Amino acid sequence: MEANMRWVALTAVAPVAWGANYFVTHAYLPADHPLYGAALRALPAGLVLLALCRRRPHGAWWGRSAVLGLLNVSVFFFLVFTASQLLPTSVAATVMAVSPLIMMLAAWPLVGERPGVAHLAGAVTGLGGVCLMLLGGTGGISVPGVLASAAAVLVSSVGHVLAKRWNAGSDGTGGIADGGVLASTAWQLTAGGLLLLPVAVAVEGAPPPVSPSALLAFCYVGLVATALAFAAWFAGLRRLPAGTVGLIGLLNPVTGVLLGTVVAGEVLTGRQLCGLALVLGGVALGLPPRQGPPGRRRSPGARKVGRRTAAGTSTAGRGNGHLRNTSAIAKTHAGRFVASATARARPAANPERATASPSRGPADSAA
């Protein structure tokens, strides 16, 4: 249980970082260069992780890295960047909260994880919270922005479940060569960035000028919201059910809404507060169940065995007591028999002593 909660806490780093990423992208990155924005987010992050793990793909992982890089990085980052520029921070973050349900549906055929009742209830509860936050939000809602955000949910959900499936079965290590999840994440980001870069040059021309504030924003987006967040996310996907990880992702819109309210001055309505409460309730439904400390609870079978053992011990105790009582009685009878025999023998010995005494008496007197 404690180990699961540690993985839950590690996985939660990703949606919190992504929720803040909406605000950073919307406020500080160039709005008219989404392809460059996605490429400059992915490629540096992938190179940093490659410098840490120093592993390269082999065999099927060359193609897998390209597929995962396309789904989880190239297409996903472009769609998220577009949605972040077209939608308010709170709206862009909350649309992504439908991803738990999509991930559960994708995990059923791809990795054989059938959605549980608690996970489905959490997804529906979280989706209700998303609707409340979206309908109660302020500012104009861009239809292309909502469509881009919804497409990002679909693409990333399939890509994340594929990463879970392939990470679980590669060479017995769960990743590329012996690098594990860190290596597979690094090559996803690198492949996705390399796929984006020529498209950005062809479509958007020269790279945009980067101001000092935009440079700092790119550092946060690349190192925290990408390298750290994706490594934590895929590590959690490998060790936790996809439904649990998807529900942890609901912390993304919570972070986006709260950050938009505190930093950007977006108005948080009462309806959005109710939506936030529902989202947090959905996250709680997906957490691993708590169990009592070892040794405190016993199964019915164990209790029956314990009662039988206790009954056997009690019966054996009574049997041992009966044997002890029988031995004591036997000893008592034996003692009485010896005492009776001794008593009968003493009167026969006394007359001999009486007759012997007179014979010695005259002699003694004569002497």
Side-chain angles (χ1 to χ4, degrees), residues 63-78:
R64 291 176 180 178
S65 298
V67 172
L68 294 178
L70 180 66
L71 295 176
N72 294 331
V73 179
S74 300
V75 178
F76 176 66
F77 283 6
F78 170 75

Side-chain angles (χ1 to χ4, degrees), residues 299-340:
S299 63
R303 288 195 292 268
K304 290 180 181 179
V305 171
R307 287 195 294 268
R308 291 174 183 173
T309 304
T313 303
S314 177
T315 304
R318 289 196 298 270
N320 292 336
H322 178 69
L323 291 176
R324 287 193 297 269
N325 292 336
T326 303
S327 177
I329 293 172
K331 290 180 180 179
T332 301
H333 284 299
R336 290 178 180 176
F337 176 78
V338 172
S340 175

Side-chain angles (χ1 to χ4, degrees), residues 38-330:
L40 293 177
R41 175 185 178 182
L43 190 55
L47 294 177
V48 168
L49 293 182
L50 280 179
L52 294 176
C53 66
R54 298 184 180 181
R55 295 291 188 274
R56 65 180 182 84
H58 64 91
W61 268 101
W62 287 106
R64 291 176 180 178
S65 298
V67 172
L68 294 178
L70 180 66
L71 295 176
N72 294 331
V73 179
S74 300
V75 178
F76 176 66
F77 283 6
F78 170 75
L79 292 172
V80 167
F81 193 96
T82 302
S84 299
Q85 297 296 339
L86 296 177
L87 297 174
T89 302
S90 58
V91 175
T94 53
V95 171
M96 295 294 294
V98 299
S99 60
L101 186 59
I102 305 300
M103 282 186 65
M104 292 178 200
L105 296 178
W108 194 350
L110 291 177
V111 295
E113 290 183 2
R114 186 172 183 176
V117 175
H119 287 158
L120 289 175
V124 172
T125 303
L127 184 59
V130 168
C131 293
L132 285 177
M133 287 190 290
L134 181 60
L135 295 176
T138 58
I141 298 178
S142 169
V143 174
V146 173
L147 293 177
S149 189
V153 170
L154 179 61
V155 169
S156 64
S157 296
V158 175
H160 293 167
V161 176
L162 280 177
K164 177 180 178 66
R165 175 177 177 174
W166 289 338
N167 280 330
S170 93
D171 304 318
T173 62
I176 295 176
D178 295 326
V181 173
L182 188 63
S184 67
T185 304
W187 279 102
Q188 287 182 59
L189 294 171
T190 303
L194 291 175
L195 290 173
L196 278 169
L197 197 56
V199 178
V201 173
V203 175
E204 297 177 356
V210 179
S211 64
S213 59
L215 181 60
L216 291 177
F218 271 120
C219 289
Y220 171 82
V221 169
L223 297 179
V224 178
T226 305
L228 176 62
F230 272 76
W233 182 257
F234 287 121
L237 264 176
R238 186 184 173 212
R239 292 165 176 85
L240 297 172
T244 298
V245 175
L247 289 173
I248 294 173
L250 290 173
L251 295 176
N252 183 336
V254 172
T255 304
V257 169
L258 294 179
L259 192 61
T261 301
V262 173
V263 179
E266 297 177 3
V267 179
L268 187 64
T269 65
R271 179 174 293 181
Q272 284 181 307
L273 287 174
C274 294
L276 285 172
L278 287 176
V279 169
L280 294 177
V283 174
L285 287 174
L287 295 179
R290 293 185 176 274
Q291 298 176 355
R296 296 292 300 274
R297 295 182 179 179
R298 294 189 301 172
S299 63
R303 288 195 292 268
K304 290 180 181 179
V305 171
R307 287 195 294 268
R308 291 174 183 173
T309 304
T313 303
S314 177
T315 304
R318 289 196 298 270
N320 292 336
H322 178 69
L323 291 176
R324 287 193 297 269
N325 292 336
T326 303
S327 177
I329 293 172

Side-chain angles (χ1 to χ4, degrees), residues 341-351 353:
T342 303
R344 285 196 300 271
R346 284 176 181 173
N350 290 336
R353 294 176 183 174

